Amino acid sequence: MAWTEHQHSLLQALGLRVWTPPVAEAGSLAPAPAEPPRVAAAATPSAAVPAAAPTVAPTAAPTAAPVALPSAARGALGTLGWPELREAVAACRACSLCEKRTQTVFGVGHEQAPWMVVGEAPGEQEDREGEPFVGAAGQLLDRMLAALQLTRVADGDARPEQRVYIANTLKCRPPGNRNPQPDELAKCEPFLVRQIELVKPRLILAMGRFAVQALLRSDEPIGKLRGRVHRYQGVPLVVTYHPAYLLRNLPEKAKAWDDLCLAAEVFERAS
Ligand code: SF4
């Protein structure tokens, strides 16, 4: 999607960066990388979050160390394909969230998408519809993705590089939309781990505190982790705010847009 002059003026008036899609070869969104992506040095999980102060939306993206997959998360799910994994989630009663759910919320999008969005937990509407990121927060996410020419629609006419897979860290709704508990996150994590293994994304966008905690093993606030590139199992990972938070804190939208621009830049370099 090309920005119109009016949209350019509007974004600039709002103080937002304008993301310009790369000039693509026929049928391709991404050009050949100008330089290879920088790869973080190997480190222990505890060194996953560097001490360096983050910068906000840099044009050059520093990297953080990779995070080791916890052995508890490897488990018996490691050999399951999509249908078996979907069934395992639907039947799961590993934590007490199973008791009040209407249904599990597995994930949505193309199963080999190069982009993967990881959110937090289903809300009321997600619990009802069985799909992550629906309602106002989901509409905002869709608009953010559309601004980068990305889509969660798996069977549309999007080019392969425009496809996104979306999954939550928790597959069942916490009652009253309360925060997920550590034991719930730990028990549900293997499902997300296997989803990431199956999707094999080229870039992960972690949205919100609990997605970041699950993927980066970090308790640092989003504001300190955004603006740079992390790694999850070698996959570049960009941190940003959850759309539900953005709806309550409109001034932060500009930062989220910067995060998306950073993600797009990293994706292009890695393609
Ligand atoms: S939240 Fe996850 S671990 Fe808990 S019952 Fe649902 S699927 Fe199972």
Side-chain angles (χ1 to χ4, degrees), residues 89 92-98 101 104 170-172 184 187-188 191:
V89 168
C92 181
R93 303 191 67 80
C95 80
S96 62
L97 294 183
C98 67
R101 70 187 178 207
T104 53
L170 276 188
K171 311 305 185 199
C172 301
E184 295 161 355
K187 284 182 175 149
C188 212
F191 294 129

